Amino acid sequence: MSKTKYDVIIIGGGLAGLTSAIHLSMENYSVLLIEKNSYPKHKVCGEYVSNEVLPYLEFLGFNPFEFGAKRISEFELTTHNNKRIKAKLPLGGFGFSRYEFDFQLYKLALKTGVEVIQDTVTDAEFESDIFRIKTKSNGQFQSKIAIGAFGKRSNLDVKYQREFIKKKSPYLGVKIHVSGDFLEEKVALHNFKGGYCGVSKVENDHINLCYITNYKTFKKHKDIDTFQREVLFKNSDLKAVFQNTKPEFDKPLTISQISFETKNPVENHMIMCGDTAGMIHPLCGNGMGIAIRSSQLASLLIIDYLQEKIEKRKTFEERYAKQWRKTFSLRLKAGHTIAYLFRQDWLAPKLLVLLRIFPFLVSLIIKMTHGKLMEV
């Protein structure tokens, strides 16, 4: 590449990286996005998105329903001993695979003028008010602003000695797409001992099955199939979904070392977005919504800073960190607490009885982990 200097360099091309790239490029800033994988690519993800992001996606010129996203309005929760509760989703949402969502946003980013390279970032240094981003194959690039949108774990987390990376995380995620019968307006969350599995339809009439479990529970079994048969299938709904559908993947996708530890929204002057800034428990099903909302927060402040409406970098960074915490801290805490309670196998059925007696609590819990419609 001949060009090496940009206004903004974004490391990571998931939802947060792509939406911020499109937003900033729409404002005529030069943007380089560096993503280590090629598009399209499946990722371990629940693939349910809250409708709160739709006004912002529309602002970016993107309509997920043009690409087959499924509208979701119903919620169902079951416990490992087969108790259930149903509710309407206050805002609703949609089911859309990361394979298609990321790929279509990537194509829109190119159309908007974003430069995208497939490469691995090996180092990112900040000196004399400039970022120097080193890559494995394309040399070095410079920018005024750098956004970290590189997901749950990265070599840069190690480089920056981020607190969460020093601790081993006990969580493992598994995802597969299947085909078969499932109501497309429903998202289901099925509890089992040691974890829970989300089920919802995505484009192509495929059903996304994505579960998270702690590694301690998983390693008692010799492989994924045995674990599913001996643990997941104790939940009769999960057993029915797995046994009455046909796998669309050769084998399930897995990811380990998923961390829900607190992270800093700014690290070494880099603005962190999406999972890089903090993760909500998958039980709450809104990680994709948080990724997109965090990219809007970052983009708006970056524009103000580049237009010198915010004069000092320190002020800009402090504002982002403050806004990020104000927007997401309560959601993340609520998500962690709810997940903790439902992980207590003796408690989960009792909680469900309580929710049945007071159904308004279900709506309240969903609202605590989701936001209002985004303003644009």
Side-chain angles (χ1 to χ4, degrees):
M1 290 179 71
S2 55
K3 184 172 178 177
T4 59
K5 294 183 180 178
Y6 295 84
D7 294 317
V8 183
I9 293 176
I10 300 169
I11 305 166
L15 295 180
L18 285 162
T19 47
S20 54
I22 294 163
H23 190 158
L24 293 163
S25 190
M26 282 168 65
E27 295 292 328
N28 296 315
Y29 293 107
S30 58
V31 180
L32 172 67
L33 186 144
I34 307 168
E35 165 56 38
K36 64 179 180 180
N37 297 306
S38 59
Y39 297 97
K41 184 182 181 346
H42 283 291
K43 294 179 178 178
V44 177
C45 178
E47 299 184 335
Y48 162 81
V49 198
S50 164
N51 278 344
E52 68 187 86
V53 304
L54 288 177
Y56 184 55
L57 291 178
E58 185 183 352
F59 164 79
L60 298 177
F62 187 83
N63 179 1
F65 303 108
E66 280 180 17
F67 306 102
K70 302 292 185 186
R71 295 180 190 274
I72 296 172
S73 56
E74 308 286 332
F75 172 69
E76 181 180 66
L77 175 71
T78 69
T79 61
H80 67 281
N81 63 347
N82 303 306
K83 306 285 185 200
R84 82 177 61 241
I85 192 164
K86 295 181 180 182
K88 286 265 182 201
L89 289 166
L91 259 187
F94 57 96
F96 200 26
S97 78
R98 292 298 300 277
Y99 184 89
E100 192 69 15
F101 203 168
D102 292 26
F103 184 44
Q104 296 301 338
L105 282 172
Y106 158 69
K107 290 200 282 190
L108 178 59
L110 293 177
K111 201 186 290 184
T112 315
V114 178
E115 287 192 45
V116 183
I117 59 169
Q118 186 186 343
D119 206 341
T120 299
V121 171
T122 56
D123 203 357
E125 294 177 346
F126 180 79
E127 194 180 350
S128 304
D129 217 35
I130 292 289
F131 283 96
R132 288 172 178 79
I133 313 290
K134 294 176 185 173
T135 64
K136 197 172 181 181
S137 308
N138 286 273
Q140 183 172 289
F141 301 94
Q142 290 184 22
S143 65
K144 297 172 190 172
I145 299 284
I147 295 176
F150 37 78
K152 298 169 182 69
R153 301 179 79 80
S154 161
N155 60 322
L156 288 182
D157 292 318
V158 179
K159 154 87 181 165
Y160 290 156
Q161 297 184 315
R162 300 182 81 191
E163 278 303 311
F164 84 93
I165 206 82
K166 299 171 188 175
K167 303 171 188 173
K168 274 212 160 190
S169 177
Y171 298 108
L172 170 82
V174 180
K175 167 186 147 173
I176 189 168
H177 278 185
V178 299
S179 53
D181 288 332
F182 189 80
L183 288 174
E184 66 177 55
E185 65 270 20
K186 181 171 82 171
V187 60
L189 198 60
H190 299 305
N191 230 238
F192 56 86
K193 284 198 173 183
Y196 33 83
C197 179
V199 186
S200 58
K201 266 202 170 179
V202 294
E203 76 286 347
N204 298 331
D205 272 342
H206 287 175
I207 305 161
N208 179 36
L209 303 178
C210 188
Y211 63 86
I212 188 166
T213 184
N214 63 64
Y215 191 68
K216 190 178 173 184
T217 304
F218 179 79
K219 72 177 182 181
K220 293 175 186 172
H221 306 270
K222 64 176 184 177
D223 53 34
I224 286 176
D225 284 341
T226 309
F227 174 72
Q228 289 175 177
R229 274 197 317 273
E230 295 180 2
V231 180
L232 270 69
F233 289 8
K234 295 279 195 301
N235 182 313
S236 57
D237 287 83
L238 271 180
K239 184 178 181 180
V241 171
F242 275 89
Q243 291 191 334
N244 298 322
T245 54
K246 186 185 110 200
E248 294 292 338
F249 292 175
D250 292 334
K251 60 180 183 178
L253 300 178
T254 60
I255 183 171
S256 59
Q257 292 286 308
I258 303 170
S259 175
F260 303 108
E261 296 284 333
T262 303
K263 301 176 184 179
N264 289 325
V266 181
E267 203 82 65
N268 196 37
H269 304 283
M270 188 180 289
I271 300 298
M272 303 301 191
C273 287
D275 289 346
T276 315
M279 276 185 69
I280 192 165
H281 241 279
L283 176 77
C284 306
N286 203 27
M288 293 163 81
I290 285 178
I292 293 167
R293 193 178 273 266
S294 69
S295 81
Q296 185 202 37
L297 275 183
S299 299
L300 292 172
L301 284 168
I302 287 166
I303 291 163
D304 281 352
Y305 180 64
L306 292 174
Q307 290 179 354
E308 298 182 353
K309 289 176 185 172
I310 303 172
E311 291 180 10
K312 294 179 180 176
R313 186 181 288 272
K314 186 172 183 284
T315 309
F316 154 62
E317 291 173 6
E318 284 171 352
R319 277 196 200 170
Y320 177 69
K322 187 178 178 182
Q323 283 191 25
W324 195 96
R325 291 188 180 106
K326 184 183 173 185
T327 308
F328 302 120
S329 284
L330 188 61
R331 288 200 213 186
L332 267 58
K333 280 175 188 164
H336 288 204
T337 304
I338 294 158
Y340 172 78
L341 294 173
F342 272 95
R343 277 202 307 275
Q344 314 310 309
D345 295 328
W346 64 273
L347 183 59
K350 292 179 174 63
L351 287 173
L352 215 62
V353 171
L354 183 69
L355 294 175
R356 273 178 170 166
I357 298 167
F358 304 106
F360 70 91
L361 289 173
V362 180
S363 179
L364 186 66
I365 288 167
I366 293 168
K367 284 177 180 174
M368 282 170 70
T369 56
H370 291 62
K372 295 175 182 172
L373 286 172
M374 290 175 70
E375 293 179 8
V376 292

